Amino acid sequence: MDFNFTEDQLSIQAIARDFAQKRIAPSAAEFDAKGEFPLANIREMGALGLMGIEVPVEYGGAGMDPISYVLAMIEIAAADCAHSTIMSVNNTLYCNGLLKFGTHEQKLKYVTPIASGEAIGAFALTEPQSGSDATAMKIRATRQADGSYIVNGKKSWITSGPVAKYILLFAMTDPAKGAKGISAFIVDTARAGFHCGKTEPKLGIRASATCEIEFADYKIPAEDLIGAEGEGFKVAMSVLDAGRIGIASQAVGLSRAAYEATLAYAKERKAFGQPIGSFQMTQAKIADMKCKLDASYWLTLRAAFAKGQADKSGGKFSTEAAVAKLTASESAMWITHQAVQIHGGMGYSKEMPLERYFRDAKITEIYEGTSEIQRMVIARNETGLR
Ligand code: CAA
């Protein structure tokens, strides 16, 4: 077992840290307050190789491994969770899905511009009536005589929906078959019949753009089907395994930022003539924060290692990803809660970033599979029972 990172891994970590601290952190509060999408920053992140980290160079990416992705994600999330949400969906849900299930031609056409940061990708699974129960989707893609599909229906909570050029879409091609009646497609948002609906008003990650998307007789050419017809649910589940490592990384970055701010504050802030960090009740909180942060970090790296192995062997890493996502997201909620508490009034004030960390942490327990879904995945895999 080797705990050392490679030169390449350290290099992308340093690039991400530098950009995050110099360019993202100083304006994160403003983007959050305005709910403004940080387009210029995202383009620069693309130029630095951060929007397609695991994508091979021939398809416009950085050609790196899952551990590199985790290290870079942690750095971006430590500066701003919303930036890391956009990065995560682009890298794992969109690029990873096409890399795993797309043809060479589809990758050239639809991965290259997204991995290079020239354009933005999105992932559309959720609908107003179906989140955790993803097979309950209503959107229909009806095959035509010429092999193309006509799509009608709506998706909701689409991260980067208002700005995406291409979207990995899941739609019912044969409702009678349930999960096996779902297919995956690429949507070009410039085509007729695609519309962005209402913007979701959110508690946190306010700089990431989230909206409903609607399809009215939207035509998808036969060559834009991803994988085989009826394989869409497997594509979605497999892509979400990778996505959950991204969310775990995001939760680790956020937790680290909250922990480091709290550690500094506990040493500097005095009450009753002493630094508040010298009080046992604060010390207990700091010790528990550190344990949860370290556990989340190493479980996330373990999941990335498992993904790297699975990428070579064709195996699965669903349990490792779910364990990492569950641990890191619930820890982020707990750590940011304690961070606000230790900062007292300043934790509650928008003059410091703690309240933003606290608001941003909540989504990590919800999207890409709630904590309840992660527990279900882990327990089903461990027991073999359903
Ligand atoms: N990899 C590959 N295939 C998988 C899989 C995986 N990880 N998990 C399941 N499958 C396959 C199964 O093998 C099965 O196929 P077979 O019948 O051929 O064996 C098929 O999929 C159906 O599996 P299940 O019977 O287990 O499916 P289920 O209906 O019981 O659902 C679930 C399982 C775990 C609850 C799943 O529905 C789930 O993960 N739900 C949560 C959805 C989710 O994470 N949504 C997030 C939305 S995206 C988002 O949040 C993006 C964003 O904004 C950032």
Side-chain angles (χ1 to χ4, degrees):
M1 193 169 175
D2 185 357
F3 282 91
N4 293 310
F5 296 119
T6 64
E7 271 183 35
D8 281 352
Q9 289 162 351
L10 290 171
S11 159
I12 192 90
Q13 181 188 45
I15 289 169
R17 180 177 296 166
D18 188 64
F19 186 78
Q21 292 309 317
K22 288 189 183 140
R23 300 295 309 281
I24 300 177
S27 52
E30 199 182 329
F31 278 118
D32 173 69
K34 290 184 182 162
E36 182 184 327
F37 188 84
L39 188 59
N41 283 352
I42 296 301
R43 294 241 185 283
E44 282 190 62
M45 284 165 66
L48 291 171
L50 297 173
M51 296 306 275
I53 292 177
E54 293 176 62
V55 174
V57 176
E58 69 168 314
Y59 301 124
M64 303 185 90
D65 67 356
I67 291 186
S68 305
Y69 170 62
V70 164
L71 295 175
M73 269 291 294
I74 290 173
E75 295 306 323
I76 300 297
D80 180 43
C81 208
H83 280 73
S84 69
T85 298
I86 303 159
M87 176 176 165
S88 167
V89 169
N90 217 75
N91 273 273
T92 33
L93 295 189
Y94 181 88
C95 289
N96 186 67
L98 285 179
L99 277 184
K100 197 160 174 194
F101 296 97
T103 61
H104 172 66
E105 289 70 31
Q106 287 171 334
K107 291 176 201 173
L108 274 182
K109 185 170 177 191
Y110 294 125
V111 174
T112 311
I114 304 296
S116 61
E118 185 192 308
I120 293 163
F123 177 90
L125 180 67
T126 300
E127 296 183 9
Q129 79 297 334
S130 63
S132 294
D133 184 9
T135 58
M137 68 176 67
K138 286 188 178 154
I139 194 167
R140 285 293 309 268
T142 310
R143 183 145 40 92
Q144 309 297 295
D146 65 356
S148 68
Y149 294 81
I150 296 293
V151 182
N152 281 291
K154 186 195 264 191
K155 291 283 178 185
S156 56
W157 287 103
I158 306 307
T159 299
S160 299
V163 288
K165 179 165 173 58
Y166 299 125
I167 301 178
L168 182 54
L169 171 76
F170 300 89
M172 271 290 176
T173 38
D174 189 348
K177 290 188 179 160
K180 290 189 167 53
I182 295 170
S183 303
F185 302 93
I186 279 293
V187 165
D188 179 340
T189 60
R191 287 201 198 115
F194 174 87
H195 306 280
C196 284
K198 83 169 167 86
T199 303
E200 310 287 2
K202 306 191 298 288
L203 172 72
I205 55 163
R206 288 173 35 75
S208 87
T210 319
C211 70
E212 289 189 342
I213 56 173
E214 293 163 9
F215 298 85
D217 290 333
Y218 177 90
K219 186 172 180 175
I220 300 184
E223 63 268 24
D224 289 350
L225 173 72
I226 303 298
E229 194 179 290
E231 258 188 17
F233 193 67
K234 281 196 180 182
V235 174
M237 290 299 109
S238 153
V239 167
L240 279 166
D241 283 342
R244 288 165 187 167
I245 300 176
I247 303 308
S249 314
Q250 172 177 60
V252 170
L254 185 58
S255 296
R256 191 187 80 192
Y259 175 71
E260 287 176 353
T262 304
L263 202 55
Y265 192 75
K267 288 195 256 183
E268 167 204 309
R269 169 79 179 181
K270 290 204 170 67
F272 308 103
Q274 296 177 61
I276 59 171
S278 67
F279 297 127
Q280 283 189 339
M281 273 192 270
T282 310
Q283 290 199 339
K285 286 189 171 80
I286 285 173
D288 289 347
M289 288 166 94
K290 171 71 175 159
C291 291
K292 286 180 191 291
L293 173 59
D294 281 4
S296 303
Y297 177 70
W298 289 109
L299 285 171
T300 303
L301 284 170
R302 182 185 72 152
F305 178 78
K307 178 179 185 295
Q309 299 294 104
D311 287 346
K312 290 178 210 146
S313 68
K316 285 176 86 172
F317 55 93
S318 314
T319 303
E320 289 88 344
V323 167
K325 204 258 186 192
L326 177 63
T327 306
S329 60
E330 293 198 340
S331 296
M333 200 65 243
W334 193 89
I335 289 170
T336 55
H337 176 193
Q338 300 307 328
V340 168
Q341 187 67 16
I342 292 175
H343 280 78
M346 288 314 293
Y348 200 65
S349 165
K350 286 192 183 293
E351 284 178 33
M352 290 192 82
L354 285 307
E355 63 83 33
R356 173 164 56 86
Y357 298 158
F358 180 63
R359 284 186 287 110
D360 287 350
K362 186 61 207 169
I363 192 60
T364 67
E365 293 183 316
I366 297 173
Y367 60 13
E368 302 203 23
T370 60
S371 293
E372 290 77 7
I373 290 293
Q374 305 312 319
R375 288 189 166 88
M376 183 195 284
V377 169
I378 296 162
R380 279 183 177 183
N381 289 349
E382 285 294 287
T383 62
L385 301 170
R386 301 174 46 94

